[in-house]
Amino acid sequence: METWDLFDETRQPLGCTQKRGEPTPPGLYHVAVCVWTVNSHNEILLTLRHPDKDLYPNYWENTGGAVQAGESSKAGAIRELFEETGIRADEAELVYLGSRREETAFFDSYIVRKDVPLNQLRLQEMETVDAQWVDLDRLDAMMASGEVALPVWERLVPVRADFEKFIFSHKQLLTLLAPADVCYKMNS
């Protein structure tokens, strides 16, 4: 059975755990993670929640889940990314975007750059049933139309500037590394 470390409202560890599925006592929190995967084309990986999920079945989301007892936030993010998609990352590749305290958990958001073709993803059984790469405009349209799980949108809002900065910095790097004639054409 999965267990979570518990924290107070200031994220100080309390030295006790909670079993998954048990109600969280008021004023106590566990840690959960959200991982945004972006490829070199600046597309964002979304996965479709299994139709049998209790919350938000058949909604698109990013990778995420609870950090297990004794596990660091980054280690939990790496584990969740691998479990849900088969994508391997290490702690040095994850960029921390921020944290948000919700009703029963602190949600830490990370972003990572990985190029993985859809046919090489390994979707977690009973968690996700499909995946797609979308650009930022498509992600915004999907959020506006209600195709993305509401908590995903709510967790992106406070870190959106850093999320876009991460994507933009890669675009700028590509421009700097491109031959001069390619840069000229891109800027024309």
Side-chain angles (χ1 to χ4, degrees):
M1 165 97 3
E2 188 175 326
T3 59
W4 306 328
D5 290 321
L6 289 176
F7 300 82
D8 69 13
E9 68 279 349
T10 65
R11 201 166 171 165
Q12 293 302 307
L14 298 174
C16 57
T17 61
Q18 172 187 0
K19 291 181 182 174
R20 181 184 184 117
E22 291 181 352
T24 304
L28 300 184
Y29 306 86
H30 67 277
V31 175
V33 292
C34 306
V35 182
W36 293 97
T37 305
V38 178
N39 67 20
S40 61
H41 301 289
N42 297 313
E43 297 169 319
I44 301 123
L45 180 65
L46 295 178
T47 54
L48 186 63
R49 292 176 62 83
H50 194 282
D52 293 336
K53 297 288 283 182
D54 289 337
L55 299 174
Y56 301 99
N58 293 314
Y59 280 81
W60 292 94
E61 66 179 352
N62 61 328
T63 301
V67 172
Q68 295 178 5
E71 188 175 52
S72 71
S73 174
K74 273 193 168 184
I78 290 167
R79 178 185 47 76
E80 286 290 341
L81 183 62
F82 181 71
E83 285 177 359
E84 292 187 11
T85 66
I87 296 174
R88 292 195 184 276
D90 61 50
E91 288 192 14
E93 294 176 287
L94 290 180
V95 175
Y96 176 74
L97 294 174
S99 187
R100 171 187 160 103
R101 189 178 79 186
E102 296 184 12
E103 187 178 343
T104 62
F106 290 95
F107 279 86
D108 295 344
S109 293
Y110 296 94
I111 193 166
V112 65
R113 192 166 300 279
K114 288 289 188 177
D115 283 311
V116 180
L118 290 176
N119 64 0
Q120 290 182 13
L121 292 176
R122 186 181 44 92
L123 300 178
Q124 187 175 14
E125 191 174 325
M126 299 307 295
E127 287 288 328
T128 55
V129 295
D130 199 3
Q132 64 176 319
W133 290 102
V134 299
D135 64 21
L136 195 54
D137 290 338
R138 176 72 180 127
L139 175 64
D140 287 339
M142 291 174 71
M143 287 181 177
S145 69
E147 297 172 70
V148 175
L150 182 60
V152 171
W153 177 82
E154 291 174 338
R155 292 176 191 133
L156 179 59
V157 168
V159 299
R160 180 68 183 243
D162 288 333
F163 179 84
E164 289 185 25
K165 191 183 303 180
F166 179 89
I167 293 171
F168 175 73
S169 69
H170 182 69
K171 285 181 182 179
Q172 187 175 31
L173 180 62
L174 286 177
T175 302
L176 293 173
L177 295 176
D181 60 327
V182 174
C183 290
Y184 176 76
K185 289 177 187 172
M186 288 173 61
N187 296 327
S188 300

